[in-house]
Amino acid sequence: MSTQSNSSANIKRITTHQLSAMKNRGEKIAMLTAYDYSMATLIDGAGIDIILVGDSASNVMAGHETTLPITLDQMIYHASSVVRAVKRAFVLVDIPFGYYQGNSSEALRSAIRIMKESGAHGVKVEGGEEIQESVKRIISAGVPVMGHLGLTPQSIYKFGTYSVRAKEQEEADKLTQDALLLQECGCFGVLFEKIPADLAAKITKQLSVPTIGIGAGAGTDGQVLVMHDMLGVTKDFNPRFLRRYADLESVVDQAVKNYIADVKATDFPNQAESY
Ligand code: KIV
């Protein structure tokens, strides 16, 4: 993708070319999830490089235990809300479970629906060798694809746990091969979730496309966190890799308690707040 200008404010949009250039000059890529217009407006305004409309929406927006239940229609709804907000960031959307694993035609149809109906800039899929036909087919239609390896939450029932992946040599070798294959298929980037830092750093050096990590150490080309986790909304989720940048749970709790108290005391609204 070449550099595009956003007409409303002359802000340069982040493109796959710019992400690649960031890797080449050693500038780290900052990525966060968002699922709605208001939060996407805030994080885009703050300068985030990539907004991931993750299927973690299934957890943090809908309250499901896993990412498996979310539908393609629901992902498109979240993605289009984000796209309407964003002036600069690259908007990447997860193709949810069950909409690309079947065959490459289905994968292409799903990717095209996301691009056409939400206006997003690319899609993310979980897996390596086993989904290579789908990846190639989507890319051949002109849709940028990011691969996702390591802990792939759509396969949670195969793994059985959310623990660190690829600690054994055999799995580390397979993951390395998958990352190289995804690059060969034309992926513009590869995301590593919960793998040893040394392994992520080693593969990052081998790849010419940018890598993004979550729980994969400091050696990847960029980092991603789920926004609700880093803002301290999801207080019960405390993996080692998570750094909290705010305590929104306490902020919201206190604000709502103050509001309730004011309403009960007939202190709100006051005269200045009335017509
Ligand atoms: O769905 C998601 O939010 C993700 C991140 C955990 C990388 O895939």
Side-chain angles (χ1 to χ4, degrees):
M1 228 191 291
S2 60
T3 303
Q4 290 177 323
S5 190
N6 183 308
S7 54
S8 62
N10 212 21
I11 294 168
K12 290 238 167 76
R13 281 201 182 277
I14 299 283
T15 64
T16 55
H17 278 244
Q18 284 169 330
L19 295 169
S20 163
M22 285 166 84
K23 174 176 178 120
N24 292 338
R25 64 174 178 263
E27 179 184 341
K28 297 282 185 183
I29 298 165
M31 170 164 155
L32 277 177
T33 64
Y35 320 96
D36 66 28
Y37 177 86
S38 301
M39 294 310 283
T41 301
L42 294 184
I43 67 172
D44 185 57
I48 202 76
D49 298 313
I50 304 178
I51 295 182
L52 171 65
V53 184
D55 57 2
S56 50
S58 179
N59 309 109
V60 295
M61 301 302 286
H64 293 296
E65 206 177 306
T66 72
T67 58
L68 276 66
I70 200 160
T71 67
L72 187 60
D73 283 340
Q74 288 166 337
M75 287 301 295
I76 290 169
Y77 167 78
H78 287 298
S80 55
S81 306
V82 167
V83 167
R84 279 192 289 277
V86 168
K87 295 185 168 61
R88 174 181 176 274
F90 186 89
V91 180
L92 182 66
V93 181
D94 270 331
I95 307 186
F97 175 70
Y99 294 93
Y100 64 97
Q101 292 92 345
N103 59 61
S104 62
S105 307
E106 182 191 31
L108 179 59
R109 258 196 314 277
S110 301
I112 286 177
R113 275 203 62 202
I114 288 172
M115 301 298 282
K116 211 183 238 312
E117 295 177 39
S118 76
H121 311 137
V123 298
K124 176 164 80 61
V125 286
E126 296 182 6
E129 188 191 359
E130 57 287 353
I131 58 156
Q132 64 173 308
E133 291 314 317
S134 296
V135 169
K136 281 189 209 152
R137 191 99 186 259
I138 297 170
I139 293 170
S140 72
V143 178
V145 175
M146 179 176 280
H148 181 155
L149 298 172
L151 175 62
T152 46
Q154 292 179 11
S155 308
I156 187 58
Y157 291 113
K158 183 173 98 183
F159 299 139
T161 82
Y162 286 97
S163 51
V164 178
R165 307 301 312 172
K167 288 207 284 197
E168 306 304 328
Q169 194 57 47
E170 197 181 333
E171 194 181 339
D173 289 345
K174 159 91 167 83
L175 194 142
T176 305
Q177 289 315 311
D178 278 344
L180 291 166
L181 180 66
L182 288 170
Q183 170 172 276
E184 205 181 299
C185 290
C187 283
F188 76 92
V190 183
L191 186 148
F192 300 132
E193 179 164 355
K194 261 190 143 177
I195 66 169
D198 287 352
L199 178 64
K202 190 167 152 221
I203 306 174
T204 295
K205 287 204 187 97
Q206 284 177 260
L207 294 180
S208 57
V209 298
T211 62
I212 305 288
I214 175 165
T220 51
D221 298 308
Q223 297 292 328
V224 61
L225 286 174
V226 169
M227 184 177 54
H228 290 66
D229 299 336
M230 61 86 77
L231 290 181
V233 178
T234 50
K235 279 298 248 313
D236 294 338
F237 183 62
N238 283 303
R240 184 205 289 206
F241 67 76
L242 176 59
R243 187 181 294 181
R244 292 199 194 281
Y245 288 83
D247 183 5
L248 280 200
E249 196 248 14
S250 303
V251 170
V252 171
D253 184 63
Q254 197 51 58
V256 172
K257 281 180 174 148
N258 291 347
Y259 168 71
I260 293 168
D262 287 354
V263 170
K264 302 277 181 193
T266 57
D267 180 58
F268 175 79
N270 62 24
Q271 234 176 352
E273 288 157 341
S274 306
Y275 297 98

